């Protein structure tokens, strides 16, 4: 570590290198920490989490009972022991609360004055954060599985909504209209995501095993469909031709630079695609168990040198290296199925919510404070908890005592 | 080095209050922070210290081709009276080499060079069989010796296989590109080199491989059944190898062990007395 600092100081290394190395080290040492906790407000499972991108301070969570909670993640208490408190909630007593489970929540990408939530009560509500009243409500014919608003869009304020209907609907925040639809899928649309690189590119995943990429300015249909066999029609049976997965596709995530797209499906596979050509990069992650009947929300780290993807697998969160497919570790801590996870890029924290109504915060292990007379042999860098004499082995193995 | 078997750790133990066990957990270290002391055993690129006993083959560093040859040697030739070339399943390689993406890539390279052939076996969309091209040609021709279809099969093997690396063929390609007539295609299907996929397209197949598929499915079911019947649904690998096999397991226990590990039907848990195979929940 000191080597990197001095290299940056002299000018041998790019300053970005130290940042990347340190971020990677921190992400590799994620674990549950007794000092960090998130206040438990939800009485039912937590379906979705979102951390706002402007300050990284507030987190939205949506639960299976329709409740939406806003947490303050910042630690102003000057003590390491900190519980993230809820700032406000849209609880069951609120007149405008969702009737059924909230499936997706998202902050307005440009400031925290507004957020959107969609739910199984067939509505998408746009809320004002100050007053916690919905400024706009969009009604749909079927359950709304997911929605997403482009994080980088300047020229449009479209929200893409995936519902039980095979048509993907685009709702415009500026005018309140919903006439733009994207046709092409033949099954329910389980996940939609805008590209973080190009503001007009949208990816949608559906139960008909297909993932389509759209340019919303184009009138005539999707740009292309992701094909898991990369056009080698010979590898698959003819029904499986041109599909992204051999089952329902229920999770989508772009990498932070927007160059690659990850998809997960109920065939227990996760695939990495080149988002500009639609080519399957054939990275083999092994079996990523996936039994979710709705969308699966997973996340990719950002800022690390080899990127990592965090996928909820049953009751644990599996962490894979993005480009090699290697399973790094499984984060265990939830009592029941994990439904969503969200990565905080500034502090390299991972927040995950599940059916056990808990939101867990996975924090990089704090560094061991350097002890003066530490000998050479124990110079192991990376994640060591501080020595607590109560946990040290007190028995001696020497033969002299016997 | 401390070894903790997490076999039956109750889930709630790993919440905030179990930092004690967390202290002794091996930490993941990125490659750039090089650990100065070399420990015994292999390391993944993230520095997770893995004791050498963890992998099935710890001594021999095998590349994909070597691993293929090793697995081919496990295949029981005598059982089929030497009519079948040694068949290896692609996922068996994952049990020997941990890096799946690398294995896939090297397999594709070998396929493009024409050294191996891949086949879709039919019982599982993901299970591919790998056979050395040389062995395949020899056995396919030997099976046809004396029959009138020999000429067609020979022509097929010589013209189609070197140029086209696909797993399946459709009618258009056969008629136009390779100039096969309809009767010749029927002869190829009869001889077993092609299997019907759907109307107008065929999979490449291994002649007489029906018995292999039957024994394979039977054997896999039997081995998994043995693990399922044991208490806690787990069994030590050495224990499983020493057990008396029922008559259903005809392909050899080692072959099946590689298969179930590679297909992720069991998970390998390292313990102080060797590798434990535990049935996964699905």
């Amino acid at each position: 570590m000191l080597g990197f600092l001095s290299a940056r100081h002299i000018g041998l290394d790019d300053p970005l290198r130290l940042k990347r190395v340190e971020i990677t080290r921190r992400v590799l040492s994620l674990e549950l920490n007794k000092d960090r906790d998130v206040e438990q407000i939800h009485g039912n499972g937590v379906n979705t989490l979102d951390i706002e991108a402007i300050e990284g301070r507030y987190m939205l969570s949506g639960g299976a009972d329709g409740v939406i909670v806003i947490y303050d993640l910042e630690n102003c208490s000057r003590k390491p022991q900190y519980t993230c408190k809820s700032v406000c909630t849209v609880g069951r007593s609120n007149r405008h609360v969702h009737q059924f489970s909230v499936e997706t929540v998202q902050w307005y990408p440009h400031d925290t004055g507004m957020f959107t939530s969609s739910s199984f009560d067939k509505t998408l509500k746009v809320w004002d954060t100050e007053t916690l009243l919905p400024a706009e409500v969009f009604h749909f014919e079927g359950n709304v599985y997911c929605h997403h608003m482009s994080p980088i869009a300047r020229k449009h304020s479209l929200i893409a909504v995936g519902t039980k209907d095979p048509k993907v609907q685009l709702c415009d925040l500026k005018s309140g209209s919903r006439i733009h639809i994207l046709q092409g899928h033949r099954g329910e649309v389980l996940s939609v995501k805008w590209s973080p690189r190009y503001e007009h590119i949208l990816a949608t995943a559906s139960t008909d095993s297909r993932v389509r990429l759209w340019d919303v300015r184009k009138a005539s249909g999707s740009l292309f469909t992701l094909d898991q066999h990369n056009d080698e029609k010979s590898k698959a049976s003819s029904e499986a031709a041109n599909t992204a997965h051999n089952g329902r596709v229920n999770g989508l995530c772009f990498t932070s630079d927007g160059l690659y797209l990850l998809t997960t499906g109920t065939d227990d596979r996760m695939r990495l695609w080149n988002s500009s050509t639609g080519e399957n990069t054939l990275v083999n992650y092994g079996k990523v168990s996936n039994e979710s009947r709705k969308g699966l929300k997973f996340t990719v780290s950002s800022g690390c040198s080899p990127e990592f993807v965090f996928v909820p697998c049953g009751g644990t969160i599996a962490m894979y290296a993005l480009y090699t497919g290697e399973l790094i570790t499984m984060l265990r801590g939830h009592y029941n199925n994990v439904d969503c996870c969200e990565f905080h890029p500034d502090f390299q924290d991972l927040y995950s919510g599940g059916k056990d109504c808990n939101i867990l915060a996975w924090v990089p292990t704090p560094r061991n404070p350097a002890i003066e007379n530490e000998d050479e042999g124990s110079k192991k860098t990376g994640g060591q908890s501080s020595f607590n004499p109560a946990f040290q082995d007190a028995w001696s193995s020497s033969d002299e005592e016997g | 080095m401390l070894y903790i078997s997490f076999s039956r750790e109750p889930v709630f133990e790993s919440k905030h209050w179990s930092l004690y066990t967390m202290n002794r957990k091996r930490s993941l270290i990125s490659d750039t922070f090089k650990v100065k002391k070399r420990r015994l055993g292999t390391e993944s690129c993230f520095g997770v210290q893995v004791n050498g006993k963890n992998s099935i083959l710890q001594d021999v560093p095998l590349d994909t081709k070597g691993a293929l040859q090793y697995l081919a040697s496990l295949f029981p030739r005598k059982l089929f009276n030497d009519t079948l070339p040694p068949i290896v399943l692609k996922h068996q390689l994952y049990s020997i080499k941990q890096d799946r993406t690398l294995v896939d890539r090297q397999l594709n390279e070998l396929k493009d060079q024409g050294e191996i052939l891949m086949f879709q076996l039919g019982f599982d969309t993901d299970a591919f069989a790998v056979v050395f091209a040389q062995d395949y040609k020899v056995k396919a021709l030997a099976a046809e010796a004396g029959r009138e279809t020999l000429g067609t099969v020979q022509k097929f093997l010589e013209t189609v296989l070197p140029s086209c690396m696909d797993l399946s063929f459709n009618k258009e390609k056969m008629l136009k590109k390779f100039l096969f007539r309809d009767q010749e295609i029927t002869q190829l299907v009869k001889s077993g080199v092609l299997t019907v996929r759907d109307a107008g397209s065929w999979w490449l197949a291994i002649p007489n491989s029906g018995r292999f598929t039957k024994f394979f499915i039977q054997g896999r079911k039997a081995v998994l059944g043995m693990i399922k019947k044991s208490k806690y649904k787990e069994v030590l690998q050495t224990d499983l190898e020493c057990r008396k096999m029922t008559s259903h397991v005809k392909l050899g226990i080692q072959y099946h062990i590689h298969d179930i590990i590679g297909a992720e039907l069991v998970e390998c848990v390292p313990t102080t007395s060797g590798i434990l195979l535990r049935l996964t929940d699905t």
Side-chain angles (χ1 to χ4, degrees), chain B residues 202-267:
Chain B
W202 300 272
W203 294 114
L204 189 65
I206 308 169
N208 304 322
S209 62
R211 279 177 81 210
F212 166 75
T213 317
K214 187 173 91 172
F215 290 157
F216 179 78
I217 298 180
Q218 252 179 3
R220 187 195 250 192
K221 213 163 121 181
V223 172
L224 286 177
M226 272 194 265
I227 305 183
K228 212 190 274 194
K229 270 189 280 186
S230 55
K231 199 179 181 196
Y232 303 120
K233 297 200 182 11
E234 58 192 18
V235 94
L236 280 175
Q237 189 182 331
T238 42
D239 188 34
L240 190 63
E241 285 165 10
C242 297
R243 278 199 205 177
K244 188 160 168 284
M245 288 295 127
T246 62
S247 63
H248 287 295
V249 180
K250 296 196 172 71
L251 295 175
I253 186 66
Q254 273 292 347
Y255 193 83
H256 281 294
I257 286 183
H258 281 292
D259 162 52
I260 56 180
I261 295 179
E264 285 188 283
L265 295 164
V266 294
E267 51 175 292

Side-chain angles (χ1 to χ4, degrees), chain A residues 214-322:
Chain A
W214 313 81
D215 184 333
V216 294
R217 297 167 293 188
K218 191 172 167 199
S220 57
S222 61
L223 290 174
F224 47 82
T225 310
L226 297 181
D227 181 11
Q228 56 176 314
H229 301 291
N230 279 339
D231 274 345
E232 273 177 34
K233 299 272 183 322
S234 58
K235 272 219 180 127
S237 57
S238 25
E239 309 87 58
N242 228 15
T243 55
H245 282 268
N246 290 328
R248 297 192 291 270
V249 189
N250 55 12
L252 277 182
C253 188
F254 276 95
T255 55
S256 46
D257 51 13
L259 294 173
Y260 290 97
L261 174 64
L262 275 165
T263 61
T264 56
T266 51
D267 59 346
D268 293 342
R269 299 270 173 258
M270 184 159 70
R271 299 193 208 274
L272 183 71
W273 311 82
N274 183 328
S275 63
S276 47
T277 61
E279 179 203 342
N280 185 353
T281 56
L282 297 174
V283 177
N284 194 333
Y285 296 96
K287 184 163 130 185
V288 180
S289 82
N290 184 343
E291 287 165 355
S292 174
R293 301 209 67 229
K294 319 176 285 194
L296 184 73
K297 293 171 175 50
F298 61 102
T299 181
V300 179
S301 68
S302 64
C304 307
S305 176
E307 297 285 359
F308 302 103
V309 52
F310 303 94
V311 189
C313 281
T316 63
I317 303 174
M319 183 169 152
Y320 290 94
L322 188 62

Side-chain angles (χ1 to χ4, degrees), chain A residues 234 236 238 269 284 287 324, chain B residues 94 101 104 126 197-198 264:
Chain A
S234 58
S238 25
R269 299 270 173 258
N284 194 333
K287 184 163 130 185
T324 63
Chain B
Y94 300 149
T101 316
D104 284 346
D126 258 346
R197 177 177 147 195
D198 62 25
E264 285 188 283

